[in-house]
Amino acid sequence: MSWTGAPLHDVRRVLGAAANRALDLALPASCAGCGQEGDALCRECRTALDIRVGAEPGVPVGLPADIPAPLLQLEWCAPFTGVTRRALHALKYDGERRLAPLMGAAVARRWARAGAAGDALVAVPASPDRVRDRGYDQATLIAGEAARRLGLPVIDALERTRATTAQFDLDRSARASNLVAAFRVRDAVPETLLRDRWLVLVDDVVTTGATLAACAAALLQAGALAVSAIAVARER
Ligand SMILES: [Zn+2]
């Protein structure tokens, strides 16, 4: 494989985490939003991640209350459009992990304004195959940064039991039960860590909320008191 000929994400895929970090340092970033050289997201484009930071918490007037049970609250930083959409794509598919701290910071700012309560953050885990390909789990990186800024612990509580692909040929109820089966609390997590705690799920993008609801169900089954969620972006 030639370094100059192969797409960067292909090069990154065959490198380990340490080599990818070295590559980050070697390559100048360009803005995922506008392409300008310098930062992974330039100062101007960063504002897209905070577009809802001052919005009223909860459901905007005129929209249906579409928070899937058993989630108590669902928040997000920005709509899944424009700069935010391109930045999330770069984080997930182009190996641009330098975007994760910026997104974690935006999550922290939104949650500090809109979050009703929460004792600890829990990332929605990507499938092990994807983490292996990418070298990192983007929601885990985002949650870690958000937790640090909020002064909350982050609990590595969940794992995927299997890849949730081929969702498209399942009907709605089959899809929901497929997802419920797809997450469980890790064996290594002590029960006392989750019991009676209000947990806040962190993910990159929320669409229907079914993934978050499935994670919440697993955490409640393990004894959590309540589960809320926040995503970087919401797709409608
Ligand atoms: Zn930009």
Side-chain angles (χ1 to χ4, degrees), residues 97-113:
R97 77 176 72 199
R98 285 173 285 200
L99 291 163
L102 299 173
M103 293 178 183
V107 164
R109 285 190 290 271
R110 178 61 185 153
W111 192 252
R113 294 283 287 269

Side-chain angles (χ1 to χ4, degrees), residues 123-155:
V124 174
S127 77
D129 288 352
R130 292 225 180 141
V131 175
R132 197 171 49 238
D133 282 354
R134 208 175 283 151
Y136 56 90
D137 184 324
Q138 72 278 355
T140 299
L141 296 181
I142 293 166
E145 179 70 16
R148 191 177 67 78
R149 286 169 178 265
L150 289 165
L152 293 174
V154 61
I155 305 173

